[in-house]
Amino acid sequence: MTPQSNAITGAMATLSLLASLATYAGALEPVSAMPLAPALHARDLDARERSLSDFAGEVLLINFWAGWCAPCLHEMPALQRLAERFEGRPFQVLAVNVGEDARRVRETLRRLDYRGMALLDRESAAFDAWGIDVLPTSFVVDRQRRIRLRGVGELDWDDKEVDRAIEEIIESHSTPLD
């Protein structure tokens, strides 16, 4: 085998692995230790600095995504529907884009008709702090800022079990941190 064919074989294996990860369908799983959520500091699309404290009293679904990630884009309309189902409740979806600029994120969200809160993690600081390896990755964080649920890969946000899990966290009698 020539060095060139070895390189082609290696590249094909890498592409195959990436394709299998891209089609991975995840599940929203309980996080038994319920650790406190790491810090999250990012700008919104209006260039305002945001952090978790801006959403005190709300249960958060924090979804890390990117515009080049097909599974991420595929689940965005369902995230929008989820946010609409819980409208008026102490619940917020934060779509944290990893590594892209505001113009590109705006265009992508407009194309997907996603109208929720989007944050920009341009330097991947939050991505690293939250220990993420795969996009999309999502976390449900309770009012005390404990990570209650985690999902790696594309999730079915229209699943009634997801609604029940989020409803249970919203209805829990934990008091928010100030």
Side-chain angles (χ1 to χ4, degrees):
M1 209 175 235
T2 68
Q4 193 172 29
S5 64
N6 278 341
I8 291 170
T9 302
M12 301 262 306
T14 300
L15 286 175
S16 176
L17 175 62
L18 290 174
S20 69
L21 286 174
T23 59
Y24 172 75
L28 199 55
E29 301 288 339
V31 177
S32 59
M34 293 192 297
L36 283 177
L40 175 61
H41 299 282
R43 295 198 180 276
D44 66 18
L45 291 176
D46 295 323
R48 288 186 303 240
E49 186 70 29
R50 298 293 195 144
S51 69
L52 291 180
S53 63
D54 294 330
F55 306 98
E58 295 183 299
V59 171
L60 300 176
L61 188 156
I62 302 169
N63 174 265
F64 289 86
W65 68 285
W68 50 263
C69 166
C72 299
L73 300 178
H74 187 256
E75 73 177 359
M76 292 302 278
L79 282 169
Q80 178 66 42
R81 291 188 297 273
L82 176 71
E84 290 168 1
R85 286 194 304 276
F86 284 95
E87 191 171 347
R89 305 290 305 281
F91 176 76
Q92 176 83 34
V93 175
L94 303 179
V96 181
N97 178 274
V98 179
E100 297 175 304
D101 65 43
R103 181 190 56 77
R104 183 174 184 145
V105 171
R106 266 194 206 92
E107 289 171 7
T108 301
L109 296 178
R110 182 187 48 75
R111 189 175 72 248
L112 296 170
D113 195 30
Y114 182 83
R115 298 171 304 282
M117 172 67 68
L119 301 176
L120 304 172
D121 185 23
R122 288 289 316 255
E123 305 301 319
S124 303
F127 179 86
D128 293 338
W130 285 67
I132 298 169
D133 296 319
V134 174
L135 291 177
T137 293
S138 300
F139 300 89
V140 177
V141 177
D142 69 16
R143 294 182 224 196
Q144 293 180 321
R145 294 302 171 247
R146 295 174 305 193
I147 298 174
R148 300 282 298 271
L149 303 168
R150 182 175 192 238
V152 177
E154 181 180 338
L155 300 176
D156 179 5
W157 296 108
D158 291 319
D159 185 327
K160 296 298 178 199
E161 291 301 316
V162 169
D163 284 4
R164 275 192 275 278
I166 291 171
E167 182 70 37
E168 184 178 304
I169 294 169
I170 291 171
E171 293 299 321
S172 69
H173 297 291
S174 61
T175 56
L177 292 177
D178 294 320

